[in-house]
Structure formats: C-alpha cells, structure tokens
Amino acid sequence: MQKEQLIEWLTAGIRSAGLSETAVPALERPKQAEHGDWATNIALQLAKPLGKNPREVAASFKAALEAAPHPLVSEVSIAGPGFINIRLKSAAKFSVLADVLKAGEKFGYSDARKGEKVLVEFVSANPTGPLHTGHARQAALGDTLCNLLETQGCAVHREFYYNDAGNQIDNLTRSVQLRAKGVVPDGEGWPDDGYRGEYIVEIGKLFLASGGDVNDANAVREFAVNVLRNEQDKDLTAFGVKKFDCYYLESSLYTDGRVDKTVDGLKTSGHTFEQDGALWLKTTDYGDDKDRVMRKAAGGYTYFVPDVAYHVSKWERGFHTVVNIQGTDHHGTIARVRAGLQALEVGIPKGYPDYLLHSMVRVMRGGEEVKISKRAGSYITLGELIEWVGKDAVRFFLVSRKADSEFTFDIDLALSQSEENPVFYVQYAHARICSVLRDGGISDTALANADLSALTHEKAEALATRLADFPAVLAAAARDLAPHVLPFYLREVAAAFHSYYNAERFLVDDVRDRTARLALAAATAQVLKNGLQLLGVSAPDKM
C-alpha cells in the first residue's frame, strides 16, 4: 500500500544520509491539511543520539530524499523544529481508487500477521439469566475485534467461557425450584440472593411441563442452564455474532483435574504459603498490592484459581496471543491471574493474556434512564435493545466509543434519521452512492479504467485521502485492540463524501468527468461497505 511504500523510501533516505542503520520512521497524517499529506518526526528522534540540531538532521534527510525522489511525491519540506512534511502528487492521491475497485471486499486486508493464532474470549456470561447491555457491548466489541484481526491474516479462535459452577448456579437452581412451587420473591423461604426476573417463572413452568421433579435439584439445575444457554445463543444469533469455536465449561476444569493440577504446580514452585488455615499465593512477588487467598479456610477455591487453570489451558492449546474482553469490574483480577501464570514457571510470558476492558451501558429514552426490564426485572436485556432499535444501531453504537469509556445508549438518537445518528449517517452515505451509481449508467469496467486526471476538486482529493487510510485504520484497530477506531473512521469517510457530493455534481454530460467522479463514489461505497461488514452492520442500497 501507499503508506508502506513511502516508509520504505524514507527508511532508505535515512540510510543514505548516514543518520541511522536501524531507524524506521513513523508516518502520520498532519493535523492540518495545509502542512501536506504525510509527516514524520524522525529527525527529532535522531537528533539527540547524533548530537545534532533537529533542523540540521532534517536538512540532511531532506537532501537525501530529494536525491532519490519518489514517483508519488511532489514536495518534501521542513517545518517547525524539524518535522518532515510530504506532499503527494495529485495522481498519487487518486491512485487508491484503482486499488479499491480491484480488491473489492478485500480492500484493506493484509497478510502481515498471517499464521498468528489468536484466541479472543468474549461475552462469557453466566448461564443464570438473559444477556444484558454489558454483554451486548462485549459481544459487539468482541465480534468486531475478531473480524479486525482476521483482516490482518490472524487465525482467530472465538471462545465463550461458561461459569457453570459455584454459588450463582446454586442460586439459579433454588430460585427456579421456589418459583415452580409458587413461592414469590421475598416470600417465605426466598433467599436474599435469589433471581427475581420473570424469566425464572418461565423456566419453572417449562420444567414442570416437561414432567420434571421440582425437588430434584440436579435435574432443575441442568434444565435451567440449558434453557438459558439456548436463549443466550438465540440473542447472539439475532445480534449477528459469528458462532463461537468453543464453549468452555468452568466445571470441566474441576472434572478434568486442571484446578488441582494448577494448585499443585503453584505449591511446587514455592510461591504459596499457609496462614490461618488458608492457602495463599504470593502475588506480591509479581506486582500485586497484596497476597491472595487461593483456598479458603472453610474449604473451596477462590474464583481466580480456576481462572489461572483456564488460562494454562489456553496456553497449552497453542494460543500464545489471547485477548479477554471483560467488564471494568474485572480489573482487579488481571494482576492475580497474571501472577498465578508467572508463579507456575512454565514459560508463559509476563503480559499474558491481553485484556480489553469495557464499562457498563446506561440506556436513555425520552431524556430519562431506563432501568427496568420486562423480563429480567433489574436490567435491560440485549433482546430488548434489538427489539427497540434494531441490530445495526445496537452494534454500531456499542463499538463507537472507546471500550473503557462510559457509554449512554440513547434510544431516541438511535431511532432518528439525522446526521446526529452515526449509523444512519454512514448507511445513508452508502445508500446515496448506490442511487447515484444506478442513475450514472457507467459499467464497472469503465469505472475501473476511469481517467482519474479529471478529478481536480479539493474535496475529491480529501475524500480519496481518507479512503487511502483504510488499510492503516484496520491494522491499528487490530494491533491496539481498539475497535472504536473503525466507526469513527467510517463517520469521517461519510462526512468527506457528503461534503464532496454537495460541492460537485456527479451526473454531468461529459462522460470523462462523470466516469471519474462515479469511480470515486464507487470506491467510497466499497470502503463504507467493507467497514460496516466488519462491524456486523448492513450497508443498504436504498433508504
């Protein structure tokens, strides 16, 4: 791609100027368009180790570049304390159109990380109730991140971890039993931590209709978990989430002996100690603020112990790049899990696994927060969000902000047909282009061979420049675990298109001009469609 070509040229210039044999410059878009098309601060970085003034280094670098000019570049200049600004030839800016139209749905894809196995664990909801808005955000982030990683050539494994063991499942079982017997929340015998949603009543009715014995706790537990797992699967399917490659059960860590094996390994490593009848792990050896209990004095392991065993499983299955997508309320477990993995001394690297943490979601409607769910009782469900505004709006909105930032889902905004509604704004740009192309009467072959020298408007250049950024946007979003970068970029592309659309007519009589302008429009539609598909959002032809 164009950016990579320029970096190779700049790197060669550094070598020929005798500035460094190893430095590779970073190339960024200037904040102000009048400064050029690309900029690098490599002269400032090299100045100190060379013991020279940055402007002096920049001058040497500039001279080396001009001695071996690049066919895409029209001008190299020095700005400020030593920035190198690069301006491209007009033809170079529009050359991306041919790349887009040729690559089609694969434009922006790369083989840079081909062969790299990546496991992404996301959603991982307890099978104790319907998926809520936090799970919805996690599903949108996780599915989009998986798609982004695949654009870079990664072999992605999607995994869902079911916490099907412990007190929460016991509470679910007891709640279903009581509701099936006619006991209401806060009635006699109702536990303080019982589940109160109407879905518990539904499960109880279904269990009785199946002929099950309500006093058989194991049968109730199995039935309830299966019902809720199936319901979660239906919601995720309606949400457009690709099928998971593996549903890993927490209970299997115990039945397979993985938890006991992990505890034995930690004891053998010498990083545990006994105190007050409990077994502790010296997590402070690995940066934690205090040591943590592994096995309680009353018996039973604390929740981070099976987490450590689970991540050993990921490592042993050959996944040396792992991303866990979890709520910010799990932040405290990161140090403990990583400390446990390090303490085992089995070769797992220090930063394993990676985490993408997300904040919870507030739902607003009519200017007021919505807190009560028809089914769940205490939280809004994913199914309700989809019912209210549709899959596309939910997915786009939940990825549109940085994951760990607070997010307010405005139902009224999601339903509005205005430029303030980001998903409508982007989808409308795609639909508008499709309408223009239908009316344009130019074949795909003619568009692919358009005379792009007919494109002269500055807004056309600005739009083409944004299209050229798409491969770099995908690479950065995948590398930095930052799915929110993609919807932000798509809004910029849509804005650049709408601006150009309002500045210059497409359906002019001159065939050369019309074909060139429609080629730019077609390339824009392709980039918008590619980006929306990665978000799991439709790209309508008509609106």
Side-chain angles (χ1 to χ4, degrees):
M1 294 299 176
Q2 190 179 92
K3 184 177 181 180
E4 287 70 24
Q5 294 176 24
L6 292 174
I7 289 175
E8 290 180 8
W9 174 61
L10 292 171
T11 302
I14 292 170
R15 307 290 184 270
S16 65
L19 299 174
S20 172
E21 289 300 317
T22 58
V24 177
L27 201 56
E28 304 292 341
R29 294 289 189 191
K31 293 182 179 180
Q32 296 177 305
E34 58 268 24
H35 290 170
D37 299 296
W38 293 102
T40 179
N41 65 350
I42 189 65
L44 283 75
Q45 296 178 14
L46 294 175
K48 187 173 182 179
L50 291 171
K52 296 181 179 181
N53 180 282
R55 293 276 302 192
E56 180 185 353
V57 175
S60 299
F61 186 27
K62 177 175 180 288
L65 295 175
E66 292 176 336
H70 195 285
L72 299 178
V73 176
S74 64
E75 181 186 5
V76 177
S77 61
I78 301 173
F83 291 100
I84 295 289
N85 289 336
I86 299 168
R87 193 175 299 278
L88 300 180
K89 296 175 182 178
S90 180
K93 297 178 185 180
F94 292 114
S95 64
V96 67
L97 306 188
D99 295 336
V100 176
L101 296 177
K102 180 179 179 180
E105 292 187 352
K106 291 301 181 181
F107 177 72
Y109 284 53
S110 167
D111 290 331
R113 297 172 65 176
K114 186 175 182 179
E116 180 181 346
K117 291 177 61 178
V118 182
L119 185 153
V120 181
E121 181 211 328
F122 61 107
V123 183
S124 295
N126 294 332
T128 55
L131 299 176
H132 55 60
T133 54
H135 298 132
R137 191 173 194 186
Q138 195 171 138
L141 289 168
D143 202 40
T144 301
L145 179 61
C146 288
N147 294 340
L148 288 166
L149 289 165
E150 286 173 341
T151 70
Q152 303 307 298
C154 297
V156 178
H157 178 93
R158 292 166 161 83
E159 188 148 299
F160 191 123
Y161 179 63
Y162 273 118
N163 297 96
D164 64 336
N167 292 333
Q168 291 181 327
I169 300 298
D170 292 338
N171 291 337
L172 170 69
T173 303
R174 183 64 177 153
S175 300
V176 172
Q177 286 179 302
L178 291 172
R179 292 311 297 262
K181 293 178 179 179
V183 179
V184 298
D186 300 323
E188 185 177 352
W190 185 264
D192 293 338
D193 46 7
Y195 290 95
R196 297 167 176 266
E198 285 301 308
Y199 69 93
I200 297 294
V201 178
E202 296 170 15
I203 295 172
K205 290 179 177 177
L206 289 171
F207 181 74
L208 292 174
S210 73
D213 178 2
V214 75
N215 293 310
D216 185 342
N218 289 331
V220 173
R221 177 184 294 107
E222 182 179 358
F223 185 88
V225 167
N226 285 336
V227 167
L228 288 168
R229 285 184 61 175
N230 288 334
E231 182 171 312
Q232 290 177 358
D233 287 345
K234 289 179 182 178
D235 282 348
L236 290 172
T237 298
F239 200 39
V241 174
K242 293 180 182 177
K243 188 171 178 62
F244 288 87
D245 298 293
C246 177
Y247 295 88
Y248 201 103
L249 303 182
E250 179 188 5
S251 58
S252 72
L253 296 169
Y254 294 92
T255 57
D256 294 347
R258 279 192 170 275
V259 171
D260 289 337
K261 181 181 178 182
T262 297
V263 172
D264 290 342
L266 290 170
K267 287 180 179 178
T268 301
S269 72
H271 293 283
T272 63
F273 64 94
E274 297 269 358
Q275 182 177 303
D276 300 326
L279 178 66
W280 297 67
L281 179 65
K282 299 177 184 177
T283 56
T284 51
D285 290 349
Y286 302 95
D288 200 2
D289 58 343
K290 61 181 180 180
D291 294 329
R292 306 289 174 172
V293 173
M294 292 175 56
R295 188 185 62 237
K296 293 172 282 189
Y301 295 117
T302 54
Y303 61 89
F304 88 92
V305 176
D307 281 351
V308 174
Y310 175 42
H311 285 87
V312 172
S313 156
K314 292 179 179 180
W315 180 264
E316 290 179 347
R317 283 184 280 152
F319 296 107
H320 295 176
T321 302
V322 167
V323 182
N324 293 345
I325 302 181
Q326 297 175 325
T328 50
D329 56 328
H330 287 78
H331 187 273
T333 68
I334 295 176
R336 274 164 258 182
V337 171
R338 286 177 172 169
L341 294 171
Q342 288 297 293
L344 284 169
E345 299 177 354
V346 292
I348 297 177
K350 189 174 182 179
Y352 185 91
D354 288 318
Y355 287 86
L356 176 60
L357 300 181
H358 66 89
S359 67
M360 293 295 104
V361 179
R362 295 173 67 234
V363 180
M364 301 290 291
R365 174 182 259 174
E368 297 182 354
E369 185 173 359
V370 183
K371 294 183 177 180
I372 303 302
S373 163
K374 293 178 181 178
R375 292 199 64 239
S378 59
Y379 58 82
I380 304 302
T381 69
L382 168 58
E384 287 167 327
L385 279 183
I386 295 174
E387 179 183 340
W388 292 341
V389 301
K391 170 184 75 72
D392 286 351
V394 179
R395 288 195 63 135
F396 195 102
F397 271 56
L398 293 181
V399 181
S400 62
R401 294 283 299 277
K402 191 175 179 182
D404 60 1
S405 65
E406 294 297 324
F407 185 78
T408 298
F409 195 110
D410 190 328
I411 299 297
D412 299 318
L413 177 61
L415 290 172
S416 69
Q417 296 186 357
S418 68
E419 64 181 56
E420 284 76 28
N421 179 351
V423 64
F424 174 82
Y425 188 64
V426 174
Q427 287 181 319
Y428 180 63
H430 183 269
R432 172 180 264 184
I433 294 171
C434 290
S435 176
V436 170
L437 292 173
R438 284 193 296 270
D439 295 339
I442 303 297
S443 69
D444 291 344
T445 301
L447 293 177
N449 294 285
D451 180 359
L452 301 179
S453 65
L455 296 171
T456 57
H457 201 287
E458 62 179 12
K459 292 189 181 297
E461 281 195 0
L463 176 55
T465 298
R466 297 307 297 132
L467 300 183
D469 287 339
F470 188 54
V473 167
L474 297 186
R479 180 191 66 235
D480 300 335
L481 308 182
H484 70 281
V485 169
L486 179 54
F488 182 83
Y489 166 79
L490 293 177
R491 290 185 68 179
E492 288 189 326
V493 171
F497 172 76
H498 289 308
S499 179
Y500 176 48
Y501 182 88
N502 293 328
E504 193 165 57
R505 289 179 57 216
F506 284 74
L507 304 183
V508 293
D509 292 335
D510 186 280
V511 176
R512 173 174 169 270
D513 289 348
R514 185 183 353 147
T515 303
R517 294 171 192 179
L518 290 179
L520 175 54
T524 304
Q526 187 68 67
V527 169
L528 290 174
K529 183 178 182 180
N530 290 2
L532 288 170
Q533 285 181 335
L534 293 172
L535 291 172
V537 176
S538 67
D541 294 340
K542 298 178 181 179
M543 289 182 71

CSV table of all heavy atoms in Angstrom, one decimal, residues 250 253-254 258-264 267 279 293-307:
chain,number,residue,atom,x,y,z
A,250,GLU,N,-16.5,-24.0,32.9
A,250,GLU,CA,-15.7,-23.9,34.1
A,250,GLU,C,-15.7,-25.3,34.9
A,250,GLU,O,-14.7,-25.7,35.4
A,250,GLU,CB,-16.3,-22.8,35.0
A,250,GLU,CG,-15.5,-22.7,36.3
A,250,GLU,CD,-16.1,-21.7,37.3
A,250,GLU,OE1,-17.2,-21.2,37.0
A,250,GLU,OE2,-15.5,-21.5,38.4
A,253,LEU,N,-12.9,-27.8,34.4
A,253,LEU,CA,-11.6,-27.5,35.0
A,253,LEU,C,-11.5,-28.4,36.2
A,253,LEU,O,-10.4,-28.7,36.6
A,253,LEU,CB,-11.4,-26.0,35.3
A,253,LEU,CG,-11.4,-25.1,34.1
A,253,LEU,CD1,-11.5,-23.7,34.6
A,253,LEU,CD2,-10.1,-25.3,33.3
A,254,TYR,N,-12.6,-28.6,36.9
A,254,TYR,CA,-12.6,-29.5,38.1
A,254,TYR,C,-12.7,-30.9,37.7
A,254,TYR,O,-11.9,-31.8,38.3
A,254,TYR,CB,-13.8,-29.1,39.0
A,254,TYR,CG,-13.7,-27.7,39.6
A,254,TYR,CD1,-14.2,-26.6,38.9
A,254,TYR,CD2,-13.0,-27.4,40.8
A,254,TYR,CE1,-14.2,-25.3,39.4
A,254,TYR,CE2,-12.9,-26.2,41.3
A,254,TYR,CZ,-13.5,-25.1,40.6
A,254,TYR,OH,-13.4,-23.8,41.1
A,258,ARG,N,-7.8,-30.1,36.2
A,258,ARG,CA,-6.9,-28.9,35.9
A,258,ARG,C,-6.7,-28.0,37.1
A,258,ARG,O,-5.6,-27.5,37.3
A,258,ARG,CB,-7.5,-28.2,34.7
A,258,ARG,CG,-7.2,-28.8,33.4
A,258,ARG,CD,-7.5,-27.8,32.2
A,258,ARG,NE,-7.0,-28.3,31.0
A,258,ARG,CZ,-5.8,-28.2,30.5
A,258,ARG,NH1,-4.9,-27.5,31.3
A,258,ARG,NH2,-5.4,-28.7,29.4
A,259,VAL,N,-7.8,-27.8,37.9
A,259,VAL,CA,-7.6,-26.9,39.0
A,259,VAL,C,-6.7,-27.5,40.0
A,259,VAL,O,-5.7,-26.8,40.5
A,259,VAL,CB,-9.0,-26.6,39.7
A,259,VAL,CG1,-8.8,-25.9,41.0
A,259,VAL,CG2,-9.9,-25.8,38.7
A,260,ASP,N,-6.8,-28.7,40.4
A,260,ASP,CA,-5.9,-29.4,41.3
A,260,ASP,C,-4.5,-29.4,40.8
A,260,ASP,O,-3.5,-29.2,41.6
A,260,ASP,CB,-6.4,-30.8,41.6
A,260,ASP,CG,-7.7,-30.8,42.5
A,260,ASP,OD1,-8.0,-29.8,43.2
A,260,ASP,OD2,-8.4,-31.9,42.4
A,261,LYS,N,-4.3,-29.7,39.5
A,261,LYS,CA,-3.0,-29.7,38.9
A,261,LYS,C,-2.3,-28.3,39.0
A,261,LYS,O,-1.1,-28.2,39.3
A,261,LYS,CB,-3.1,-30.2,37.5
A,261,LYS,CG,-1.7,-30.3,36.8
A,261,LYS,CD,-1.9,-30.7,35.3
A,261,LYS,CE,-0.6,-30.7,34.6
A,261,LYS,NZ,-0.7,-31.1,33.2
A,262,THR,N,-3.1,-27.3,38.8
A,262,THR,CA,-2.6,-25.9,38.8
A,262,THR,C,-2.2,-25.6,40.3
A,262,THR,O,-1.1,-25.0,40.5
A,262,THR,CB,-3.7,-24.9,38.3
A,262,THR,OG1,-4.0,-25.2,37.0
A,262,THR,CG2,-3.2,-23.5,38.5
A,263,VAL,N,-3.0,-25.9,41.2
A,263,VAL,CA,-2.7,-25.7,42.6
A,263,VAL,C,-1.4,-26.4,43.0
A,263,VAL,O,-0.5,-25.9,43.7
A,263,VAL,CB,-3.8,-26.0,43.6
A,263,VAL,CG1,-3.4,-25.9,45.0
A,263,VAL,CG2,-5.0,-25.1,43.3
A,264,ASP,N,-1.3,-27.7,42.6
A,264,ASP,CA,-0.1,-28.4,42.9
A,264,ASP,C,1.1,-27.8,42.3
A,264,ASP,O,2.2,-27.7,42.9
A,264,ASP,CB,-0.2,-29.9,42.4
A,264,ASP,CG,-1.2,-30.7,43.2
A,264,ASP,OD1,-1.6,-30.3,44.3
A,264,ASP,OD2,-1.7,-31.7,42.7
A,267,LYS,N,2.2,-24.8,44.3
A,267,LYS,CA,2.8,-25.2,45.6
A,267,LYS,C,4.3,-25.6,45.3
A,267,LYS,O,5.2,-25.3,46.0
A,267,LYS,CB,2.1,-26.4,46.2
A,267,LYS,CG,0.8,-26.1,46.8
A,267,LYS,CD,0.1,-27.4,47.4
A,267,LYS,CE,-1.2,-27.1,48.1
A,267,LYS,NZ,-1.8,-28.4,48.6
A,279,LEU,N,-4.8,-21.4,52.2
A,279,LEU,CA,-3.6,-21.4,51.3
A,279,LEU,C,-3.6,-20.1,50.5
A,279,LEU,O,-4.5,-19.7,49.9
A,279,LEU,CB,-3.8,-22.6,50.3
A,279,LEU,CG,-2.6,-22.8,49.3
A,279,LEU,CD1,-1.3,-23.1,50.0
A,279,LEU,CD2,-3.0,-23.9,48.3
A,293,VAL,N,-5.7,-15.1,48.8
A,293,VAL,CA,-6.1,-16.5,49.2
A,293,VAL,C,-6.5,-17.3,48.0
A,293,VAL,O,-7.2,-16.9,47.1
A,293,VAL,CB,-7.3,-16.4,50.1
A,293,VAL,CG1,-7.8,-17.8,50.5
A,293,VAL,CG2,-7.0,-15.6,51.4
A,294,MET,N,-5.9,-18.5,48.0
A,294,MET,CA,-6.3,-19.5,46.9
A,294,MET,C,-7.3,-20.5,47.4
A,294,MET,O,-8.3,-20.7,46.7
A,294,MET,CB,-5.0,-20.3,46.5
A,294,MET,CG,-4.0,-19.5,45.8
A,294,MET,SD,-2.5,-20.4,45.5
A,294,MET,CE,-3.1,-21.8,44.5
A,295,ARG,N,-7.1,-21.0,48.6
A,295,ARG,CA,-8.1,-22.0,49.2
A,295,ARG,C,-8.5,-21.4,50.5
A,295,ARG,O,-7.6,-21.2,51.4
A,295,ARG,CB,-7.5,-23.4,49.3
A,295,ARG,CG,-8.5,-24.4,49.7
A,295,ARG,CD,-7.9,-25.8,50.0
A,295,ARG,NE,-6.9,-25.7,51.1
A,295,ARG,CZ,-5.6,-26.1,51.0
A,295,ARG,NH1,-5.1,-26.5,49.8
A,295,ARG,NH2,-4.8,-26.0,52.0
A,296,LYS,N,-9.8,-21.2,50.7
A,296,LYS,CA,-10.3,-20.6,51.9
A,296,LYS,C,-10.2,-21.6,53.1
A,296,LYS,O,-10.1,-22.8,52.9
A,296,LYS,CB,-11.8,-20.2,51.7
A,296,LYS,CG,-11.9,-19.1,50.7
A,296,LYS,CD,-13.4,-18.8,50.3
A,296,LYS,CE,-13.9,-19.9,49.4
A,296,LYS,NZ,-15.3,-19.5,48.9
A,297,ALA,N,-10.1,-21.1,54.3
A,297,ALA,CA,-10.0,-21.9,55.5
A,297,ALA,C,-11.2,-22.8,55.6
A,297,ALA,O,-11.1,-24.0,56.1
A,297,ALA,CB,-9.9,-21.0,56.7
A,298,ALA,N,-12.4,-22.4,55.1
A,298,ALA,CA,-13.6,-23.2,55.2
A,298,ALA,C,-13.7,-24.2,54.1
A,298,ALA,O,-14.6,-25.0,54.0
A,298,ALA,CB,-14.8,-22.3,55.2
A,299,GLY,N,-12.7,-24.2,53.2
A,299,GLY,CA,-12.7,-25.1,52.1
A,299,GLY,C,-13.1,-24.4,50.8
A,299,GLY,O,-13.9,-23.4,50.8
A,300,GLY,N,-12.7,-24.9,49.6
A,300,GLY,CA,-13.1,-24.3,48.3
A,300,GLY,C,-12.2,-23.3,47.9
A,300,GLY,O,-11.6,-22.5,48.7
A,301,TYR,N,-11.9,-23.2,46.6
A,301,TYR,CA,-11.0,-22.3,46.0
A,301,TYR,C,-11.7,-21.0,45.7
A,301,TYR,O,-12.9,-20.9,45.4
A,301,TYR,CB,-10.4,-22.9,44.7
A,301,TYR,CG,-9.6,-24.1,44.8
A,301,TYR,CD1,-10.0,-25.3,44.3
A,301,TYR,CD2,-8.4,-24.1,45.6
A,301,TYR,CE1,-9.2,-26.5,44.5
A,301,TYR,CE2,-7.6,-25.2,45.8
A,301,TYR,CZ,-8.1,-26.4,45.2
A,301,TYR,OH,-7.3,-27.5,45.4
A,302,THR,N,-10.9,-19.9,45.8
A,302,THR,CA,-11.4,-18.6,45.4
A,302,THR,C,-11.5,-18.5,43.9
A,302,THR,O,-10.8,-19.3,43.2
A,302,THR,CB,-10.5,-17.5,45.9
A,302,THR,OG1,-9.1,-17.7,45.5
A,302,THR,CG2,-10.5,-17.4,47.4
A,303,TYR,N,-12.2,-17.5,43.4
A,303,TYR,CA,-12.6,-17.5,42.0
A,303,TYR,C,-11.4,-17.4,41.0
A,303,TYR,O,-11.5,-17.8,39.8
A,303,TYR,CB,-13.6,-16.4,41.7
A,303,TYR,CG,-13.1,-15.0,41.9
A,303,TYR,CD1,-12.5,-14.3,41.0
A,303,TYR,CD2,-13.3,-14.4,43.2
A,303,TYR,CE1,-12.0,-13.0,41.2
A,303,TYR,CE2,-12.8,-13.2,43.5
A,303,TYR,CZ,-12.2,-12.4,42.5
A,303,TYR,OH,-11.8,-11.2,42.7
A,304,PHE,N,-10.3,-16.8,41.4
A,304,PHE,CA,-9.2,-16.6,40.5
A,304,PHE,C,-8.4,-17.8,40.2
A,304,PHE,O,-7.7,-17.9,39.2
A,304,PHE,CB,-8.3,-15.4,40.9
A,304,PHE,CG,-7.1,-15.8,41.8
A,304,PHE,CD1,-5.9,-16.2,41.3
A,304,PHE,CD2,-7.3,-15.8,43.2
A,304,PHE,CE1,-4.8,-16.5,42.1
A,304,PHE,CE2,-6.2,-16.2,44.0
A,304,PHE,CZ,-5.0,-16.5,43.4
A,305,VAL,N,-8.5,-18.8,41.1
A,305,VAL,CA,-7.8,-20.1,40.9
A,305,VAL,C,-8.2,-20.8,39.6
A,305,VAL,O,-7.4,-21.2,38.8
A,305,VAL,CB,-7.9,-21.0,42.1
A,305,VAL,CG1,-7.1,-22.3,41.9
A,305,VAL,CG2,-7.3,-20.3,43.3
A,306,PRO,N,-9.5,-21.1,39.4
A,306,PRO,CA,-9.9,-21.7,38.1
A,306,PRO,C,-9.6,-20.8,36.9
A,306,PRO,O,-9.3,-21.3,35.8
A,306,PRO,CB,-11.4,-21.9,38.3
A,306,PRO,CG,-11.8,-21.0,39.4
A,306,PRO,CD,-10.7,-21.0,40.3
A,307,ASP,N,-9.6,-19.5,37.1
A,307,ASP,CA,-9.2,-18.6,36.0
A,307,ASP,C,-7.7,-18.9,35.6
A,307,ASP,O,-7.4,-18.9,34.4
A,307,ASP,CB,-9.3,-17.1,36.4
A,307,ASP,CG,-10.7,-16.7,36.4
A,307,ASP,OD1,-11.6,-17.4,35.9
A,307,ASP,OD2,-11.0,-15.5,36.9
